[in-house]
Amino acid sequence: MLSETTRSDTFEQLALPLFPSLYNHAFWLTRDQAEAEDLVQETFSKALRAFDSFQPSTNFKAWIFRILRNTFLTSRTGIAASRTVFLEDHPDVLDTASADSTPEDNLIRLDNEAALQAALDQLQPPLREALLLCDVEEIKYKDIAVILDVPIGTVMSRISRARRTLRQLLQPQLGESL
Amino acid sequence: MNQTPQTNPSIEHLKPDMLSAFIDSELPPTEQERIEQHLTGCHACTLRVLAATQLKVGTARAGRRFVPPPETLARLTAQLHSQTKPQPQTKQPARIYSIRPAAWAALAAAILLTVSLIGWRQLHQTNTLAAELLDQHLATLSSAATPQVISTDRHTVKPWFQGRLPFSFNLPDAAALPPDTSLKGADLAYLNGQPAALLLFTIHKHEVSIFLTQRANGPTTLNSLPSTRAGFTLHTATTPDLRIVAISDVNPADLDLLLASLVHAQSRL
């Protein structure tokens, strides 16, 4: 059995490089600096206590992001957020590429980062969460499914829906630069 | 082998979920290949893939928005260290330890903070630079973007940079370029705030962007760029004076041939 110090060192080697990512994701979930910091602290503390249950052959990043998410869901903000019902397959977005726009119209200029930030803010949290895990954290669909505790097909449709919604939100704002 | 025609009009266009999974490289190899084949003959779907890739790159950048205050990591490591300390046998007042272990913990936390932040900053810079390169390459693909110099003649392109760049470079003549490779034009670009020459080539109809920066002042993170990003190949080369980065969706071996010809041309400078 590993000594307590070796176990803790191994944990820190794996976990500390993920600190900026976990903090960024915690901020997206809580939308508050102090809450994000508390959430990350609690995540690290829980993860260290549960580190013996981590299987070395599995993805550590997915494992700790899952702890972060579960910790968030049991927090006051998380419980309040979970009261909002999210309709998984609600067809609230059109496929903008097949609507009345030409394919060239979809080549919007994305140098306006503020517009993209605003569009991300407007996304429904379950869509944004899946998209950020994919595009920002570069986590594979199968691991996102583990983090979000949903089937892989749901991950695929949430990411696709998130992108279509973003495009819909961006087009009126960036229409002039098309 | 040859039972499937190159462009089959009956092949359905990419559905949104498939397009999304395609740019995330989440499809099985056979499906990925089937779509790649469809893209070779379908202009509309190719543009949709390009637009989706642009959005993915933009999201990656915009989503990396919240940076922890510097002291947060120190607080966290201190908390972790206190958690791994052996607990006293009986319940004692909390302040049982002398200041010395606390001082060591603080020192260790400070060292960890510095090392982690340096590592994270380098990784972050590398990712940002790769995103910047990809963005600039994608911008050149848009039909609306026309380079400042449109010429296939190296004797037109090279002099255009005089007075615009704080360094000089050489261009291979058309005969020295690899087969089916041609110069299309050039533009001035900036990488990490440093001026760079952007050369636009095509290899077998694939667009290629080449960025030339001065080695002395250029971004050092170019050395540790990822070799692929969002399905595009990123290859680098250096000469005594220059750093050269090539980005394209062409076969990596063909990209290396072009890089090699550019490196070779610099020896004539």
Side-chain angles (χ1 to χ4, degrees), chain A residues 44 66 83 97 103 105 122 128 130-131 137 139 141 147 178:
Chain A
F44 271 78
R66 184 182 163 95
R83 291 204 185 104
D105 287 343
Q122 289 177 63
R128 184 171 59 219
L131 186 70
E137 301 308 330
I139 299 176
Y141 286 5
I147 295 169
L178 287 175

Side-chain angles (χ1 to χ4, degrees), chain B residues 95-119:
Chain B
R95 299 275 170 218
I96 193 166
Y97 300 110
S98 72
I99 192 71
R100 194 161 292 179
W104 280 114
L107 180 64
I111 293 168
L112 266 172
L113 168 73
T114 314
V115 171
S116 308
L117 281 181
I118 290 170

